[in-house]
Amino acid sequence: MTYEKRSDGRKMDELRPIMAKVGIIPNADGSALFAAGKTIAIAAVYGPKLLHPAHMKKPDRGIIRCNYNMLPFSVSERARPGPSRRSKEIGMVSGNALASVVDLKRFPNAVIDVDIMILQADAGTRCAGINAAAMALAHAGVVMKEMISSVAIGKIDDKIVTDITKEEEDYHDGEGATDIPYTLTSNTKQITHLQLDGKIQVNRLKESYEAAKIACEKVLDCQKRALKGEDIDENKESKK
Ligand code: CDP
């Protein structure tokens, strides 16, 4: 038995419907929402501002302090509030992905706080969070060398699939499922974040990168349109 049909009817290379909007948190310097299907993330940016505690200050550059959290009822089995090993790891990889495109030398001794909150989770939350955070940084007017866009590519049995859901991640027949979240830069298509959960042959990994490039281009288009003030909801657009 091979994986022939996706449970939600999408084509193998099809993203879930995207929602994207900036300016959702008026008190923040920048904010955004990014959703892919049932995965919904919001991000708020505060700063750049003088860093406290002082011992963390870097006299030659600023730092990005990124927090990732899930609302307790964002998942079917209530997520325990507060930091966990998983949330700390995702905060760190998200912050690193963002830091690679921000010219932090412009902000000595400063911090840019980036808070990512997952409102609802159906896999790919780190990708949705990074997409929202990159939009929120741009919305805050933080100068970025390039934009970044993120998507999780999967290998389910022998098929490379774009933007996998939790149900797909949990596929155990045949070769099972491999989850590969990618974050790519908009112009130079560099990888600023890549994780791999499962196993995959090198040639199939290259294939997954090609799928990520195409998918990130679509994500980028939504991010850019949202930053121009559009309220993007592909759920509504598909019903028109
Ligand atoms: O969300 P992402 O794919 O970036 O990270 P993951 O750790 O691979 O989690 C995959 C999915 O598992 C999440 O998106 C949630 O749908 C689910 N999950 C959960 O139900 N409860 C948790 N405490 C953590 C994750």
Side-chain angles (χ1 to χ4, degrees), residues 186-233:
S186 55
N187 300 334
T188 54
K189 307 293 174 212
Q190 291 182 73
I191 300 170
T192 64
H193 157 232
L194 165 65
Q195 292 178 283
L196 199 150
D197 185 8
K199 60 180 168 52
I200 190 165
Q201 289 167 322
V202 173
N203 62 328
R204 303 304 313 272
L205 184 64
K206 286 183 184 155
E207 230 182 283
S208 75
Y209 169 66
E210 293 305 321
K213 263 202 313 199
I214 294 168
C216 283
E217 208 54 48
K218 293 179 186 160
V219 170
L220 177 66
D221 178 61
C222 291
Q223 290 172 303
K224 280 186 183 162
R225 280 165 46 207
L227 281 162
K228 283 183 188 150
E230 247 186 84
D231 182 356
I232 292 168
D233 185 351

Side-chain angles (χ1 to χ4, degrees), residues 3-21:
Y3 192 75
E4 296 297 346
K5 213 168 178 311
R6 300 183 77 171
S7 49
D8 56 9
R10 274 184 294 152
K11 296 192 202 99
M12 298 295 170
D13 61 353
E14 193 175 340
L15 287 151
R16 289 178 279 184
I18 290 173
M19 285 197 288
K21 186 177 167 59

Side-chain angles (χ1 to χ4, degrees), residues 39 68 70 74-80 86 90 121-127 152 166 169 179 181 197:
T39 291
Y68 162 103
M70 294 174 114
S74 60
V75 287
S76 44
E77 225 170 277
R78 182 178 178 275
R80 193 135 60 110
R86 175 180 175 275
I90 298 179
D122 182 17
T125 60
R126 70 197 67 205
C127 299
K166 176 76 177 133
E169 265 188 24
D179 172 27
D197 185 8

Side-chain angles (χ1 to χ4, degrees), residues 18-37:
I18 290 173
M19 285 197 288
K21 186 177 167 59
V22 297
I24 55 160
I25 304 169
N27 282 350
D29 293 312
S31 60
L33 174 146
F34 186 94

